[in-house]
Amino acid sequence: MLLDQETENEIVYELCQLLGRAILPLGGYDRPGGTGETVGTAFFYTEMVGATDDGEVVHEWLLTADVTTRPAYGEIGLRPSVTEPADAAAEPIVLPRFADHWLHLPQVGVAAMPTGGLHGYAEDQGWRWRTQQVSDAVAARADAVGRVGAAPGSAFVLALGVGEDGSRPLEAVIERVVRDGDGLRVDTELPAGYVGAPVFGVETGPDGEVALHCLGLLLPATSGGHPVATFDRIRAALAEATADVG
């Protein structure tokens, strides 16, 4: 669905308000003390896995493109807005053997980190996370993904870019998403830091209102833009990878 510019700008503003604290900057390097040879964006996703008499059962993951998790050393940046108290953690979380901290889903090019360790780290340091998440309800189902056609539609990428001084500013960009064979593609190559970021699309809901979906996450650029790892495939890959757990 292709929107007019005014509506696109309104959606960008809403995304920053509703999900600006869902995303974190990633960095990777091959030796201790290295500086950001690999940069990307990760985001929190809550997956509904069942229900009990006490309510829904959810798993919380940190999702990103798998390629960003491969350096020997990695760091998860801590933005002031995502900690309570604010500015409680000035230094990033540095993780040796970075790849070992992730569940790798090579069939979709995605890596997923269970967030229990992140919450434990915060507790040990005397603060807590104050984040937003891409919820299971917002993450697109197969039917919503399937309705994206060959004609360009409005897409929105929420990411942490890379400033000239190495800072990681929050950025929301308006792009176009198209069908590419049996997958989706954002048809422009985006700047450093965007790989792994969530990609949102829109369609008209039953009530005529614009409905926003997180289509998936941005994979590394190939010719003609960035493939999108779509949420229907991410869900299936997570289910397969965790089928024997617990």
Side-chain angles (χ1 to χ4, degrees):
M1 180 177 181
L2 189 61
L3 303 173
D4 62 82
Q5 186 175 0
E6 182 178 354
T7 304
E8 288 180 333
N9 290 336
E10 290 173 356
I11 289 175
V12 163
Y13 176 81
E14 290 298 323
L15 269 179
C16 290
Q17 301 304 306
L18 296 174
L19 291 170
R21 289 185 283 110
I23 62 175
L24 296 175
L26 297 184
Y29 37 91
D30 292 331
R31 63 190 185 283
T35 55
E37 287 101 356
T38 299
V39 289
T41 295
F43 65 97
F44 289 97
Y45 162 58
T46 50
E47 176 193 25
M48 191 174 74
V49 295
T52 69
D53 292 340
D54 296 324
E56 296 177 347
V57 178
V58 300
H59 290 166
E60 185 184 59
W61 302 93
L62 190 67
L63 299 182
T64 192
D66 189 59
V67 67
T68 68
T69 70
R70 293 304 183 179
Y73 295 84
E75 63 181 33
I76 299 172
L78 296 173
R79 302 162 54 214
S81 62
V82 303
T83 68
E84 183 64 46
D87 295 311
E91 299 297 324
I93 301 172
V94 177
L95 298 172
R97 301 175 62 91
F98 196 38
D100 293 348
H101 295 271
W102 300 83
L103 176 65
H104 300 279
L105 308 172
Q107 63 271 52
V108 288
V110 170
M113 178 187 290
T115 61
L118 297 179
H119 290 287
Y121 176 90
E123 184 176 356
D124 291 345
Q125 298 296 313
W127 54 272
R128 64 182 181 87
W129 292 94
R130 180 176 173 267
T131 62
Q132 297 159 321
Q133 299 87 23
V134 172
S135 70
D136 203 56
V138 171
R141 302 283 171 180
D143 56 347
V145 172
R147 285 191 289 271
V148 178
S154 297
F156 309 87
V157 182
L158 193 60
L160 295 161
V162 182
E164 292 183 2
D165 59 355
S167 62
R168 300 297 305 273
L170 175 64
E171 298 176 356
V173 297
I174 301 168
E175 299 297 339
R176 298 290 178 257
V177 64
V178 297
R179 178 151 302 281
D180 183 14
D182 63 352
L184 303 183
R185 176 181 295 273
V186 171
D187 66 1
T188 303
E189 187 167 342
L190 294 169
Y194 278 60
V195 171
V199 180
F200 298 86
V202 292
E203 61 180 350
T204 303
D207 56 1
E209 295 293 321
V210 173
L212 185 71
H213 302 291
C214 185
L215 296 172
L217 65 81
L218 207 67
L219 296 176
T222 59
S223 58
H226 293 262
V228 177
T230 54
F231 253 114
D232 54 335
R233 295 177 178 177
I234 293 171
R235 282 192 182 94
L238 278 172
E240 180 181 352
T242 59
D244 297 328
V245 177

